[in-house]
Amino acid sequence: MRSVCAYCGVGCGVRVEQEAGQWRLAGDEAHPANRGALCIKGSSLIESLAFPERLLYPRWQGERLTWEAALDRLAGELARIIGESGPQSVALYLSGQLTTEDYYVANKLMKGFIGSPHVDTNSRLCMSSAVVAHQRAFGEDLVPACYEDLELADLVVLTGANTAWTHPVLFRRLQQARERRPGMKLVVIDPRQTMTASQGDLHLPLRPGSDVALWNGLCRYLLDQGLWDKAYVARHVAEFDGLAAELDRPCWHPEAVAAACDLPLCDLLGFYRLFGANPRTVTLFCQGINQSERGVDQAGCIINAHLLTGRIGKPGAAPFSMTGQPNAMGGREVGGLATQLAAHMGFDEESRDRLARFWGAPRLVSGPGHKAVALFEALHKGEIRALWVLGTNPAVSLPDSLRVREALARCELLVISDVTADTDTARLAHLLLPAAAWGEKGGTVTNSERTISRQRAFLPPPGEARPDWWALTQLARRLGFAEAFPYEHEQQIFCEHAALSGFENDGARQFDISALAHLSREQYEALPPLRWPVNAAHPDGCDRLFADGRFATADGRARLVVAAPPAAPLQVEPGEGLPLLLNSGRLRDQWHTMTRTGHVARLQESEPWPTLRLGPASLLALGAEPGALLHLRSAQGEAHALAARDEGLREGEAFLPMHWSESYAVGSGVNRLLAPRVDPLSGQPAFKQEAVRVSLRPLRWQGLWLGPQAWGLPVDWWARRPLVGAVGGGVCQWLASWSEGDDACWARLSAGGNWLRLPQAKGWLAIELAQGRIASLLLVTPDPMKVRSDSLASLLGAPLQADALIATLDQALAGASRLVCSCLRVSERQILDAIAQQGIGEVAGLQALLGCGSNCGTCLPEVARLLACQQG
């Protein structure tokens, strides 16, 4: 059975088969996105379905309900609130994890029938600046390129994207293309020396927030050197004179730009010359561009450079926005954002009339609703009284997350549809609704290159879990809209969505999949991957848009856009601690707030703890070693994380991954620190820059807890991960206390259970015994980072034997080895031993012996670095 991966925007195809009663998953060789390859997250999809605290039936404030009772109550409460305060007092908050069919029903119900414009999605947090940039330049939210363009280009520019980690399979395609075509060049623009940047022919570690200067400077260079396409601009592009006048300012000269970006002039001009010399150029941009107070302008400046050179709509030439989620684009197609209506329609009178007639909508909204940050502020103020959150965790993922939690706690009616009750948001809900997970429901999703793929169910939903579109449909019927919501299968929804895309569409809207409007159930089930548009002109889909030079504007011309003036630099709050500029982003093996990945043991092995990455000088200034606990403070709040050394950072800057929620670490979420600053046009938050002060947190004791259950006694800070190496699973927790000593800990611990305490050179080991076997362990040690927790975990469940205990403890304290290859679980020690003991001198030899780098390939640069270091 073929389906599609539920993680990033690459949209990899998967094959799922049952063997000997077990489900097996592999990449789909026939899918155009991945051609059979999968990254570590995609490979673990089956494992990820074993959710802790799986939500199996509706609950009202903890009490089990039937679906009928839950929906009746929800409909009654919503009707009461709407009757008292109007439809604008209710809202939906959606997710790029939903299928297009889920999204479509939600948008139709709220914007067309309930009459509330307040429907937004977590895609607002990652892609909305690109959406507005596309609309300004092209007239419609359109991604012109396809993945093959990355392989056909002579120059690929990756900016604001650690693609090797965030979109590993796509980056592997790029690596393989470079192996086939050695003349192909890669430029990486990123303040950090990431895994992606380490593989570029040129890395530009620009000052954060200076992207407009870099790209405006490029446009100025192209004009000065006569490297722009005058004929293309004359035929297909408008507003040239306005941009040219702006670029004539001295601040866009190369010397001024190099100073603004804090780059060597030779590196800057090297990039400009490469761009000017290569007509086949693809610029791939992602969150580092979008997640900014200037995200729309930054994306727009990239598009300007491509329009000036006519590098769009051609093989190997395009500006290319990568989505972060599997169906961020599908949500945009059906109006999932508060600033859109369905089928790429806006709020103009003609579009509203068209949509109202197609839907038979009695209360079609007249204008945009609240964007995500504003939506939760309205919730905090009580203007929104009821909120239904589907498939996302805003208590963690939004900036100023402590205020968001306050807003959620104040909400009169908070409804959460999710697969698990173990999320920070779900714990605040009045009504919990059990949602069907990936593998349990069908539908479609659209990836970054506009490919629509079928997500197919192969498992029955457990308990009373149901698809989100079903719950929305049932609510619509209870609110009196049964005739407009007749859906019994997702195929009906998809066909209506496809029909709407072609309704009264004379070609003005390029999103058009009307050729799929009359699919039978069998045809829908068998639907192959297709890039839209799919219509009479493109019955088999379309690889590239704008090949004819005609855009979705009234006159058919693209627009060059002048960027707004730069924002004032961030100011660090006065106080103690080292002032740093904080960045945030993804890890390779984790997903969002870890709801889907945090419980999968092998996805935690490479990065098991929340760490603040710092340059060597910053660590020295703090007097901190890797593994030390650090206290971070900003104007918004405070957090704690463990110190980690990263020589790829600019000094004065730091990086804290976005993933840790209160389910996996107390007080370590980066969004506790981030102010709700947003782009004025897109409403997308500025996740990439925050001024913080960092100081060393002196500890009175710290250690590792290993047991079948989480640590249950008071402690100042903890982080947890699934236990690797223990029979039957369990929990490993890093515990730290600055308020009391280890004697107080031992007194509480020994007060219950059967405990032994063995002194160590720099701490002690506590052993809980149950029927002569080891049930739990607490190792108090000054350096938990260096402990091999998997070795200690092997003791759990074993009888207490002195010799085995001493040998295992010695092994655990001998030092942990960092996991380099997550796919095949190859550690740094294994690689170094193979080099030293086997005499291997090439990466290919290590791949053959250990397998490292032979799957998704993201670890290959690290493997090569280790090899080079050993060869001296």
Side-chain angles (χ1 to χ4, degrees):
M1 193 276 299
R2 287 185 160 90
S3 188
V4 63
C5 181
Y7 288 114
C8 77
V10 174
C12 295
V14 297
R15 289 187 294 103
V16 185
E17 298 173 353
Q18 198 167 29
E19 297 177 5
Q22 298 292 319
W23 288 102
R24 306 292 182 193
L25 180 142
D28 182 2
E29 298 86 348
H31 197 285
N34 59 315
R35 304 166 182 167
L38 284 180
C39 73
I40 180 67
K41 291 194 295 291
S43 300
S44 68
L45 275 165
I46 301 294
E47 299 163 66
S48 72
L49 293 175
F51 292 100
E53 294 190 42
R54 180 67 196 264
L55 194 55
L56 297 174
Y57 48 81
R59 301 181 197 171
W60 175 265
Q61 296 186 335
E63 297 296 322
R64 178 172 180 172
L65 295 175
T66 65
W67 265 106
E68 288 74 17
L71 289 164
D72 287 346
R73 183 153 199 169
L74 175 57
E77 290 292 309
L78 288 177
R80 176 183 63 82
I81 291 171
I82 292 169
E84 294 171 356
S85 302
Q88 294 205 0
S89 62
V90 301
L92 289 183
Y93 189 60
L94 309 173
S95 167
Q97 309 297 292
L98 302 178
T99 65
T100 301
E101 291 78 2
D102 295 327
Y103 257 125
Y104 182 87
V105 177
N107 186 64
K108 178 179 178 179
L109 172 61
M110 287 292 283
K111 293 180 181 175
F113 288 80
I114 289 177
S116 173
H118 303 316
V119 182
D120 211 33
T121 166
N122 62 10
S123 297
R124 174 73 58 191
L125 311 182
C126 56
M127 284 297 116
S128 54
S129 288
V131 170
V132 177
H134 292 154
Q135 291 170 332
R136 289 205 301 177
F138 308 146
E140 190 175 336
D141 175 21
L142 300 166
V143 175
C146 61
Y147 295 158
E148 283 81 358
D149 289 321
L150 288 166
E151 299 165 323
L152 296 172
D154 295 320
L155 171 66
V156 174
V157 182
L158 300 183
T159 180
N162 185 11
T163 315
W165 276 21
T166 59
H167 301 90
V169 170
L170 187 61
F171 190 75
R172 184 60 182 147
R173 285 183 62 167
L174 179 58
Q175 286 176 312
Q176 291 167 338
R178 295 179 73 199
E179 291 167 3
R180 294 191 299 269
R181 299 172 53 221
M184 184 180 182
K185 299 297 182 184
L186 174 64
V187 174
V188 181
I189 304 169
D190 196 311
R192 296 193 297 141
Q193 175 81 15
T194 62
M195 188 67 74
T196 304
S198 68
Q199 299 175 72
D201 297 291
L202 175 63
H203 171 219
L204 298 179
L206 79 175
R207 177 181 284 120
S210 63
D211 301 86
V212 166
L214 179 78
W215 289 93
N216 270 359
L218 171 61
C219 291
R220 170 65 186 261
Y221 176 88
L222 295 171
L223 295 181
D224 286 349
Q225 300 297 319
L227 297 172
W228 58 295
D229 190 331
K230 300 178 184 64
Y232 185 88
V233 171
R235 288 194 301 269
H236 304 300
V237 181
E239 310 297 340
F240 172 78
D241 290 343
L243 180 62
E246 169 63 28
L247 295 179
D248 198 40
R249 295 171 58 197
C251 61
W252 309 128
H253 289 205
E255 293 81 0
V257 170
C261 296
D262 193 21
L263 292 172
L265 181 60
C266 59
D267 287 355
L268 181 79
L269 290 175
F271 166 52
Y272 288 177
R273 287 170 182 147
L274 276 173
F275 195 99
N278 287 283
R280 292 198 301 180
T281 296
V282 170
T283 302
L284 191 76
F285 63 96
C286 200
Q287 314 299 25
I289 294 296
N290 297 319
Q291 290 178 335
S292 166
E293 287 181 272
R294 306 195 70 198
V296 173
D297 281 342
Q298 290 175 172
C301 289
I302 293 168
I303 294 170
N304 284 347
H306 279 265
L307 290 175
L308 283 174
T309 52
R311 296 175 188 176
I312 190 167
K314 302 171 183 175
F320 196 163
S321 162
M322 277 297 293
T323 58
Q325 297 188 83
N327 201 30
M329 188 174 289
R332 286 146 60 179
E333 294 163 8
V334 299
L337 291 165
T339 45
Q340 299 174 322
L341 290 177
H344 283 202
M345 284 186 270
F347 292 94
D348 58 280
E349 185 175 349
E350 182 182 354
S351 295
R352 290 182 60 253
D353 174 70
R354 181 188 303 118
L355 184 58
R357 285 186 286 106
F358 182 87
W359 276 347
R363 299 182 186 89
L364 190 72
V365 296
S366 59
H370 287 313
K371 306 178 186 78
V373 171
L375 187 153
F376 283 88
E377 185 58 26
L379 188 71
H380 196 280
K381 293 176 180 177
E383 296 168 5
I384 291 176
R385 296 173 57 188
L387 174 67
W388 187 356
V389 178
L390 294 94
T392 187
N393 193 10
V396 181
S397 59
L398 280 158
D400 199 3
S401 60
L402 296 181
R403 186 170 178 85
V404 172
R405 288 170 190 268
E406 287 181 3
L408 291 165
R410 291 181 177 188
C411 183
E412 183 176 336
L413 176 63
L414 179 60
V415 184
I416 307 296
S417 293
D418 214 322
V419 295
T420 174
D422 187 24
T423 76
D424 294 27
T425 306
R427 295 186 194 102
L428 300 170
H430 300 100
L431 178 61
L432 284 171
L433 298 176
W438 176 87
E440 299 164 2
K441 69 174 183 178
T444 57
V445 297
T446 308
N447 72 358
S448 296
E449 60 166 356
R450 295 173 284 106
T451 296
I452 299 170
S453 297
R454 283 282 284 112
Q455 180 178 297
R456 295 179 173 91
F458 60 93
L459 293 169
E464 298 174 18
R466 297 290 184 271
D468 293 298
W469 66 261
W470 179 89
L472 289 156
T473 295
Q474 296 301 314
L475 174 66
R477 293 173 182 177
R478 282 165 169 79
L479 292 174
F481 311 129
E483 186 176 345
F485 292 83
Y487 315 122
E488 300 295 337
H489 190 274
E490 53 265 21
Q491 171 259 348
Q492 296 169 279
I493 306 167
F494 179 83
C495 289
E496 183 179 313
H497 159 56
L500 174 59
S501 73
F503 181 62
E504 296 181 358
N505 187 352
D506 58 0
R509 305 192 312 276
Q510 293 206 24
F511 174 69
D512 182 353
I513 56 170
S514 54
L516 305 175
H518 301 290
L519 296 178
S520 66
R521 179 79 63 86
E522 292 74 20
Q523 289 171 324
Y524 175 78
E525 293 297 348
L527 184 69
L530 290 167
R531 293 185 188 117
W532 62 258
V534 189
N535 53 18
H538 304 282
D540 299 316
C542 177
D543 292 342
R544 296 172 190 86
L545 304 180
F546 315 137
D548 59 358
R550 183 163 184 84
F551 295 86
T553 56
D555 61 5
R557 291 171 174 266
R559 297 293 189 267
L560 295 167
V561 179
V562 176
L570 293 174
Q571 300 297 316
V572 182
E573 289 288 301
E576 297 181 358
L578 183 66
L580 294 170
L581 185 65
L582 180 66
N583 185 5
S584 70
R586 298 177 187 269
L587 297 175
R588 180 186 61 192
D589 298 350
Q590 288 300 333
W591 180 251
H592 287 196
T593 63
M594 297 166 65
T595 302
R596 300 176 62 164
T597 54
H599 60 282
V600 181
R602 67 177 175 136
L603 295 181
Q604 289 275 31
E605 288 187 84
S606 62
E607 298 274 353
W609 311 113
T611 57
L612 179 71
R613 301 185 181 199
L614 301 160
S618 296
L619 281 174
L620 187 63
L622 288 167
E625 295 290 332
L629 188 64
L630 300 177
H631 177 237
L632 296 82
R633 183 175 58 82
S634 74
Q636 301 306 120
E638 57 184 336
H640 286 87
L642 301 167
R645 182 186 179 101
D646 189 337
E647 296 184 2
L649 280 166
R650 294 162 47 98
E651 287 297 350
E653 298 173 13
F655 179 83
L656 182 61
M658 58 178 270
H659 306 289
W660 269 269
S661 67
E662 297 295 309
S663 296
Y664 289 95
V666 61
S668 293
V670 68
N671 289 333
R672 300 164 65 93
L673 302 165
L674 302 186
R677 295 176 289 110
V678 300
D679 182 287
L681 297 176
S682 70
Q684 182 159 350
F687 286 110
K688 297 299 181 182
Q689 298 174 46
E690 186 59 72
V692 298
R693 286 190 177 271
V694 179
S695 55
L696 181 65
R697 174 67 81 179
L699 297 176
R700 299 184 67 180
W701 72 269
Q702 62 180 325
L704 291 178
W705 162 263
L706 294 88
Q709 305 296 330
W711 175 262
L713 298 175
V715 69
D716 291 321
W717 182 83
W718 59 262
R720 73 177 177 91
R721 55 171 290 197
L723 203 50
V724 178
V727 177
V731 176
C732 178
Q733 275 182 272
W734 186 310
L735 309 176
S737 176
W738 54 81
S739 61
E740 61 182 20
D742 59 340
D743 287 344
C745 170
W746 171 246
R748 290 196 186 97
L749 194 64
S750 58
N754 181 18
W755 286 91
L756 298 176
R757 180 176 175 179
L758 304 178
Q760 302 295 309
K762 296 181 179 180
W764 43 268
L765 175 67
I767 304 171
E768 183 185 27
L769 294 175
Q771 298 180 340
R773 294 182 177 272
I774 298 173
S776 305
L777 296 166
L778 173 62
L779 177 63
V780 173
T781 174
D783 198 354
M785 185 75 78
K786 295 180 180 178
V787 177
R788 291 188 58 183
S789 59
D790 56 338
S791 296
L792 278 183
S794 67
L795 292 170
L796 296 179
L800 180 61
Q801 296 177 344
D803 291 345
L805 175 64
I806 293 170
T808 303
L809 188 58
D810 287 345
Q811 185 182 47
L813 295 175
S817 180
R818 183 171 55 92
L819 198 67
V820 173
C821 176
S822 293
C823 294
L824 297 171
R825 300 192 68 239
V826 181
S827 69
E828 181 176 344
R829 179 179 288 110
Q830 289 175 281
I831 294 170
L832 295 178
D833 286 348
I835 296 169
Q837 298 171 14
Q838 304 291 328
I840 294 177
E842 296 180 351
V843 171
L846 292 170
Q847 286 181 284
L849 180 66
L850 302 174
C852 49
S854 60
N855 187 35
C856 74
T858 55
C859 65
L860 283 173
E862 180 70 1
V863 174
R865 187 188 67 81
L866 292 172
L867 185 63
C869 289
Q870 288 300 103
Q871 292 173 339

